[in-house]
Amino acid sequence: MKKILLASVAALATTGAHAQDESIKLGIVLGFTGPLESLAPGMAAGAEMAMEEVSGSGLLLDGTTIESVRGDSTCIDAAAATAATERLITSDGVSGIVGADCSGVTGAMLTNVAVPNGMVMISPSATSPGLSEAEDNGLFFRTSPSDARQGVIISDVLMEEGIESVALTYTNNDYGKGLADAFQSAYEEAGGTVTISAAHEDGKADYSSEIGALSAAGGDRLVVAGYVDQGGSGIVRAALDSGAFDTFHFPDGMVSQALVDRFGSEIDGSSGDNPGTDSPGAQAYQDMASEAGYDGSSPFSAEAYDAAALILLAMQAAGSTDPVSYKDSVMDVANAPGEEILPGELEKALQILADGGDVDYVGASAVELIEPGESAGNYRIVGFENGELVVEGYR
């Protein structure tokens, strides 16, 4: 391990010394396979759009262009995610990482690779409250909010709909447990009753025993804090087939077109939420994505664009591609004071920074970073009607 880390440090030193007219590399570490694989393409496309926008401007550090290098986090395999991150640093010589997506692998990458090697990571979607307390040496940020906030949002949505008792199931990992605890605390404080809070494992063919326990406990709705491409959908299918529950609340790991494609009108009357905003930047980004041929409203795609943009603007502000140098500029470019910057305006931002000015990057997700370097949080509230996902509002 010591030899690997020394090699990583050497590669990092080389990364920080790029000539200004050369290309630099940014890593994108997402679950291109695994329980969120249907979300990864939209997220990667968002990050790479920001890279292309900056490269095309010719203004980053007097002409530096950006090359994307992808790695597969698998979402759930910490060893695989750690190995992918190590490769990006030692073999590919990346200068920053957009990722990871899921909280458990993000924590492993941060602790085992990024911190020892002084590498900046900005996650678009790792939401576990535990990451707020991670020892990160100022290297870790996230453009998505903590699930401490999402727990309150879910509680508010359910109580406003008159849902005063729920059964709760969560994927058995850092993300699921953190979100389940945050929601239960907020919901019970608001006067709701959680009849049961039970973990489920991903990768099972049959969830009838889990549904049996949830059904026996009862509740007006089933909250499924799981993954849409894994056990979460297995739970929903078992609940529908058995008649145990016919409406659900879907937190961010479940909300996607894949959920609608899989269940259609069977989940009509259900509710859901995921990070999102109706800000001008969000619409600008969705228009850009549509022109580029992908869905910019896909969960966490906007946050991925913002993650890549923040890394690149921080480099410009610091005058360096060395993560140890530019990490201290991330919060500066993300927040006021400065000229507000929306998607499609990265060239303008780079010029302002080159001229010694300040920018307030608002971006595609109305990002505002609070300590310890995470988004304050905006959420899109959705419902399901006639087999379609319907946006009901934002908060």
Side-chain angles (χ1 to χ4, degrees), residues 2 10 50 62 68 71 87 122 127 132 139 149 158 166 172 180 190 219 222 226 249 297 330 341 361 364:
K2 183 179 289 186
D62 298 326
S68 169
R87 172 184 61 79
I122 302 186
T127 55
S132 298
L139 293 161
R149 168 108 170 107
L158 293 174
V166 299
N172 191 19
L222 177 60
H249 185 89
S297 68
V330 173
I341 301 298
Y361 181 76

Side-chain angles (χ1 to χ4, degrees), residues 306-383:
D306 289 346
L310 285 174
I311 290 175
L312 297 170
L313 294 180
M315 289 179 179
Q316 184 81 334
S320 174
T321 63
D322 182 352
V324 176
S325 296
Y326 75 74
K327 68 175 185 176
D328 295 328
S329 297
V330 173
M331 295 286 283
D332 293 338
V333 298
N335 298 329
E339 184 164 348
E340 292 190 353
I341 301 298
L342 300 181
E345 297 181 341
L346 298 184
E347 180 175 356
K348 179 172 75 171
L350 292 166
Q351 188 63 62
I352 292 170
L353 292 169
D355 293 339
D358 295 321
V359 299
D360 174 11
Y361 181 76
V362 176
S365 63
V367 66
E368 180 78 11
L369 294 188
I370 59 175
E371 293 294 347
E374 61 193 29
S375 173
N378 302 282
Y379 282 85
R380 181 181 73 156
I381 310 304
V382 302

Side-chain angles (χ1 to χ4, degrees), residues 235-253:
I235 288 284
V236 175
R237 172 48 60 204
L240 291 170
D241 288 349
S242 67
F245 296 91
D246 57 9
T247 59
F248 308 86
H249 185 89
F250 300 113
D252 54 355

Side-chain angles (χ1 to χ4, degrees), residues 93-284:
V94 299
S95 297
I97 292 175
V98 175
D101 45 358
C102 299
S103 296
V105 294
T106 298
M109 289 163 51
L110 179 66
T111 299
N112 297 330
V113 186
V115 169
N117 290 282
M119 180 58 63
V120 165
M121 288 174 50
I122 302 186
S123 171
S125 60
T127 55
S128 169
L131 289 170
S132 298
E133 309 298 326
E135 293 292 334
D136 64 359
N137 293 347
L139 293 161
F140 178 65
F141 307 85
R142 44 184 173 171
T143 49
S144 57
S146 164
D147 281 331
R149 168 108 170 107
Q150 186 177 191
V152 175
I153 294 294
I154 299 171
S155 173
D156 289 348
V157 168
L158 293 174
M159 294 302 286
E160 288 166 13
E161 288 194 19
I163 305 297
E164 297 184 353
S165 70
V166 299
L168 168 63
T169 182
Y170 59 90
T171 184
N172 191 19
N173 61 18
D174 291 352
Y175 159 70
K177 179 61 173 170
L179 176 54
D181 288 348
F183 161 67
Q184 183 168 357
S185 175
Y187 189 59
E188 290 178 346
E189 184 175 344
T193 299
V194 176
T195 62
I196 184 175
S197 178
H200 64 261
E201 302 295 336
D202 288 320
K204 295 182 64 175
D206 181 11
Y207 288 92
S208 57
S209 62
E210 288 85 352
I211 288 300
L214 294 164
S215 178
D220 298 328
R221 190 164 291 183
L222 177 60
V223 178
V224 185
Y227 292 134
V228 67
D229 295 320
Q230 258 295 346
S233 286
I235 288 284
V236 175
R237 172 48 60 204
L240 291 170
D241 288 349
S242 67
F245 296 91
D246 57 9
T247 59
F248 308 86
H249 185 89
F250 300 113
D252 54 355
M254 292 293 296
V255 176
S256 77
Q257 186 58 42
L259 181 73
V260 175
D261 293 343
R262 193 166 286 135
F263 297 107
S265 60
E266 291 181 283
I267 56 173
D268 281 1
S270 298
S271 53
D273 69 278
N274 66 280
T277 174
D278 58 350
S279 66
Q283 188 58 58

